[in-house]
Amino acid sequence: MSSRHSDALRAAQLYYLQDLTMDAIARELRTSRSTVSRLLSSARESGLVQIQIRSPLDTGPELEGMIRAEYKVDVHVVPVLDTLNEAETLDRVAMQAARTIGPLVDSNAIIGVAWGSTLSAVSRHLTRKITHDSVIVQLNGAGNMQTTGITYASDIMRRFGSAYGARVEQFPVPAFFDHAATKQAMWNERSVQRILELQSRMSIAIFGVGSVDADYPSHVYAGGYLDEDDLNILANSDVVGDVATVFFRADGSSDGIVLNERSTGPQLAQLRQVRRRICVVSGASKINGLRGALTAGLATDLILDEASARRLVRFDGLS
């Protein structure tokens, strides 16, 4: 632990556990009051201190309990005012997700990260935590007919790597191959097998949920990854959403969805083998995709906004 991290922890203990004033802490640590203030801010931002407010009007704990009982996941419901727009809501959820993820990341971890607008927002709120011999591995390719996708995906992976001092392993393949046979050929290449082998040993996977009918289209549906024929195939297959560009139906099934044979994301059965699977969702219009992902058993941890949580369990008559 660095000297500053140690000082932040000590200041937080004195302030929150022993009720000392900042002036008293400054005297004990032989520093200035302004330095103590910065140490306390650092303790909050790094996750050393997490402040919870339990209001009798707060429905978050009740919603969390209902979701936990129905879907068997650990849940964090982020309270968000109805007056906030979708971008502001995403920012609040991303901030909570970053704070939740930090304490779960340890040394010697292999962390799989999907790309997308949600994970991009999360990556901007990560706080630095020193780990050793950890790896960030990209879960799925990002190229399409318009762009390689390398810059977009690599920015997300780089932020995760920088936050945790981890090595970054990108996956420089398309999001979808044009032909399933091409994917099978590439999967036999040693350079690709090295990434697939890392993915097979993931201890944490972090992803959002793409939803076909979301008000704010997921990146995979709006970014030139799917043509009209592909979208028709999804509709005819009753697809409701995807995780890391692997599609599923409302009942959680994915068999017979031909686009999955061309997708570069991990098979859902493989994803379910990862010990910790953190799903981050913002926006109640993604609810059908989220329900499908949870029914498929893809998440162990869920972070979502309050409006989405209400719709997920049809709380107060909402559906």
Side-chain angles (χ1 to χ4, degrees):
M1 181 181 292
S2 68
S3 175
R4 183 169 180 79
H5 203 64
S6 179
D7 288 344
L9 175 60
R10 181 62 177 154
Q13 290 171 329
L14 294 172
Y15 188 77
Y16 291 105
L17 300 182
Q18 299 184 29
D19 293 327
L20 267 64
T21 66
M22 284 197 279
D23 288 330
I25 296 170
R27 288 194 296 272
E28 180 158 334
L29 298 182
R30 296 182 180 179
T31 188
S32 66
R33 190 180 189 281
S34 60
T35 297
V36 171
S37 178
R38 287 193 293 272
L39 289 172
L40 293 174
S41 295
S42 175
R44 291 192 296 270
E45 291 168 1
S46 65
L48 283 174
V49 172
Q50 295 186 354
I51 299 173
Q52 294 183 326
I53 299 174
R54 293 301 184 190
S55 164
L57 302 176
D58 184 9
T59 60
E62 186 175 359
L63 288 168
E64 290 171 353
M66 294 171 70
I67 295 169
R68 190 178 298 112
E70 184 169 353
Y71 293 106
K72 306 301 186 288
V73 292
D74 287 335
V75 193
H76 300 271
V77 172
V78 182
V80 178
L81 294 174
D82 293 338
T83 54
L84 295 184
N85 62 36
E86 192 145 2
E88 292 168 326
T89 299
L90 172 58
D91 194 60
R92 300 288 177 85
V93 172
M95 188 181 301
Q96 177 61 57
R99 290 174 176 171
T100 302
I101 291 166
L104 302 178
V105 175
D106 293 316
S107 294
N108 304 303
I110 299 177
I111 304 159
V113 177
W115 51 260
S117 54
T118 300
L119 268 294
S120 180
V122 172
S123 71
R124 290 182 170 87
H125 287 288
L126 297 171
T127 53
R128 188 164 175 76
K129 177 181 180 179
I130 299 301
T131 68
H132 302 284
D133 298 320
S134 291
V135 180
I136 305 295
V137 60
Q138 186 176 326
L139 279 182
N140 53 323
N144 62 27
M145 291 179 293
Q146 301 172 12
T147 174
T148 64
I150 291 175
T151 301
Y152 177 75
S154 67
D155 283 346
I156 298 171
M157 304 304 143
R158 176 181 51 77
R159 293 187 197 108
F160 271 89
S162 296
Y164 304 127
R167 185 175 92 248
V168 173
E169 293 286 355
Q170 293 180 254
F171 200 13
V173 294
F176 301 96
F177 286 100
D178 287 337
H179 306 283
T182 307
K183 171 185 170 179
Q184 292 304 317
M186 282 294 294
W187 261 223
N188 287 322
E189 292 292 324
R190 286 177 293 178
S191 58
V192 172
Q193 287 181 346
R194 185 177 66 83
I195 302 299
L196 297 177
E197 195 275 333
L198 277 173
Q199 292 177 356
S200 73
R201 295 190 289 115
M202 290 184 293
S203 52
I204 300 175
I206 307 170
F207 51 86
V209 172
S211 189
V212 174
D213 51 6
D215 293 341
Y216 186 74
S218 302
H219 196 76
V220 67
Y221 304 102
Y225 290 89
L226 302 169
D227 60 26
E228 188 173 348
D229 289 340
D230 294 331
L231 293 173
N232 287 333
I233 290 172
L234 295 181
N236 293 332
S237 300
D238 298 321
V239 165
V240 295
D242 77 282
V243 164
T245 59
V246 177
F247 301 98
F248 47 81
R249 304 179 183 88
D251 63 1
S253 67
S254 59
D255 55 294
I257 300 175
V258 295
L259 257 66
N260 287 343
E261 297 173 9
R262 295 161 39 203
S263 169
T264 53
Q267 295 183 4
L268 302 187
Q270 177 188 344
L271 187 59
R272 282 190 286 265
Q273 298 303 310
V274 181
R275 181 174 55 83
R276 204 83 188 238
R277 309 181 299 278
I278 303 169
C279 177
V280 186
V281 173
S282 174
S285 64
K286 288 188 173 183
I287 201 66
N288 291 332
L290 175 57
R291 281 201 185 107
L294 293 176
T295 301
L298 301 183
T300 60
D301 298 75
L302 174 62
I303 301 146
L304 77 170
D305 62 281
E306 187 173 354
S308 297
R310 286 175 174 273
R311 292 194 64 181
L312 183 60
V313 293
R314 300 176 175 89
F315 191 74
D316 281 350
L318 294 174
S319 61

